[in-house]
Amino acid sequence: MSRDGGGLHTRVKTARGRTPQSTRWLERQLNDPYVKRAKAEGYRSRAAYKLIELDERFTILRGSRRVVDLGIAPGGWTQVVRKKCPKAAVVGIDLLPVDPIDGVTIFQMDFMDDAAPAMLIEAMGGAPDLVISDMAANTVGHPQTDALRTMGLVEAAAEFAIDVLEKGGTFVAKVFAGGADSAFVARMKRNFATVKHAKPPASRKGSSEWYMVAQGFKGRAADQPS
């Protein structure tokens, strides 16, 4: 490992057993200001700042009383929710194990499991007013396939949100640029007063990820094609 530019940039030498791709990833992590800031401020991932920046723009978290974090691992988004909404009931769900977070109920299961909605609502004591999702499908290295796989998760998360949100609620999810088809966007607009897309500064410039912010849930009766 070496430094150039007067000690401002950390360069990683390719070690035995480490691929060039993993070397680039490690170098990027070591030089990423959001990674350093997350460590300093106690967040589990740099992704925490994506939610912070989305909240600064769209006022997502203010007044939230019951929150579901779909795909909670490793927990950065939920840490932000707990910090900004300390009185809210927060539940998270993920296929992966997640270290405990004070004041949060975490389920290790598939959010698409038929039993999941009732379990989450019972844990919160009522329907959520905010559903957040930073999920992305495991990548296979083919951009179009990766985008389609992630959009499948987004559509499943939206289905979940439409099924459980209380009227007036908000849904936030990671999407990919150009990944949402017109039928899906039309459905979201039928169900929410506003549907906007944003790329927060914490989202890496080279990434195709964007975020959908759907606010003002109209209620399940609105989910009918016009």
Side-chain angles (χ1 to χ4, degrees), residues 42-63:
Y43 288 117
R44 295 183 181 182
S45 68
R46 70 185 301 286
Y49 298 101
K50 300 174 189 178
L51 182 59
I52 290 170
E53 290 165 355
L54 288 170
D55 184 51
E56 289 172 351
R57 179 171 174 182
F58 297 104
T59 317
I60 295 163
L61 300 174
R62 183 188 300 168

Side-chain angles (χ1 to χ4, degrees), residues 12 14 26 31 53 61 127 133 139 188 193 206 219-220 225:
V12 179
T14 302
L26 179 58
N31 292 287
E53 290 165 355
L61 300 174
S133 168
T139 58
M188 297 304 292
R220 274 156 288 286

Side-chain angles (χ1 to χ4, degrees), residues 10-51:
T10 300
R11 297 184 64 184
V12 179
K13 295 181 180 178
T14 302
R16 181 180 299 174
R18 183 189 294 147
T19 66
Q21 182 180 6
S22 64
T23 298
R24 288 193 296 271
W25 180 88
L26 179 58
E27 184 169 324
R28 185 177 67 181
Q29 290 293 104
L30 290 171
N31 292 287
D32 188 325
Y34 284 101
V35 172
K36 296 173 182 177
R37 186 177 167 191
K39 289 180 179 178
E41 297 183 3
Y43 288 117
R44 295 183 181 182
S45 68
R46 70 185 301 286
Y49 298 101
K50 300 174 189 178
L51 182 59

Side-chain angles (χ1 to χ4, degrees), residues 93 109-120 160 163-164:
I93 185 168
M109 65 184 296
D110 190 337
F111 79 92
M112 290 185 278
D113 187 304
D114 289 344
M119 291 176 63
L120 294 168
F160 175 92
D163 283 345
V164 303

Side-chain angles (χ1 to χ4, degrees), residues 178-193:
D181 64 36
S182 57
F184 174 67
V185 173
R187 185 184 182 198
M188 297 304 292
K189 289 182 176 180
R190 282 199 307 272
N191 282 278
F192 293 86

Side-chain angles (χ1 to χ4, degrees), residues 49 54 83 95 106 120 126 144 155 195 200 211-212 219:
Y49 298 101
L54 288 170
K83 185 174 182 178
L95 289 170
I106 300 173
L120 294 168
Q144 290 84 359
E155 291 177 11
V195 179
Y211 287 85
M212 172 180 283

Side-chain angles (χ1 to χ4, degrees), residues 12-226:
V12 179
K13 295 181 180 178
T14 302
R16 181 180 299 174
R18 183 189 294 147
T19 66
Q21 182 180 6
S22 64
T23 298
R24 288 193 296 271
W25 180 88
L26 179 58
E27 184 169 324
R28 185 177 67 181
Q29 290 293 104
L30 290 171
N31 292 287
D32 188 325
Y34 284 101
V35 172
K36 296 173 182 177
R37 186 177 167 191
K39 289 180 179 178
E41 297 183 3
Y43 288 117
R44 295 183 181 182
S45 68
R46 70 185 301 286
Y49 298 101
K50 300 174 189 178
L51 182 59
I52 290 170
E53 290 165 355
L54 288 170
D55 184 51
E56 289 172 351
R57 179 171 174 182
F58 297 104
T59 317
I60 295 163
L61 300 174
R62 183 188 300 168
S64 295
R65 294 172 291 114
R66 291 182 292 273
V67 183
V68 176
D69 188 348
L70 300 178
I72 182 176
W77 274 31
T78 284
Q79 287 180 299
V80 173
V81 174
R82 288 287 296 146
K83 185 174 182 178
K84 290 183 173 280
C85 309
K87 295 183 179 181
V90 185
V91 298
I93 185 168
D94 204 297
L95 289 170
L96 299 173
V98 179
D99 290 336
I101 298 173
D102 186 46
V104 178
T105 301
I106 300 173
F107 295 98
Q108 186 178 350
M109 65 184 296
D110 190 337
F111 79 92
M112 290 185 278
D113 187 304
D114 289 344
M119 291 176 63
L120 294 168
I121 289 172
E122 181 179 2
M124 285 182 292
D129 48 31
L130 175 62
V131 174
I132 57 177
S133 168
D134 195 33
M135 293 186 294
N138 293 331
T139 58
V140 297
H142 185 260
Q144 290 84 359
T145 301
D146 291 338
L148 286 172
R149 285 159 57 92
T150 291
M151 279 313 303
L153 277 179
V154 172
E155 291 177 11
E159 186 81 29
F160 175 92
I162 290 168
D163 283 345
V164 303
L165 271 173
E166 71 174 19
K167 195 170 183 178
T170 296
F171 172 62
V172 181
K174 178 188 291 182
V175 297
F176 277 117
D181 64 36
S182 57
F184 174 67
V185 173
R187 185 184 182 198
M188 297 304 292
K189 289 182 176 180
R190 282 199 307 272
N191 282 278
F192 293 86
T194 63
V195 179
K196 297 180 180 179
H197 290 78
K199 187 175 180 66
S203 180
R204 291 188 173 102
K205 292 181 180 179
S207 169
S208 61
E209 72 176 15
W210 281 64
Y211 287 85
M212 172 180 283
V213 179
Q215 296 175 290
F217 180 58
K218 298 176 183 178
R220 274 156 288 286
D223 193 29
Q224 299 294 329
S226 56

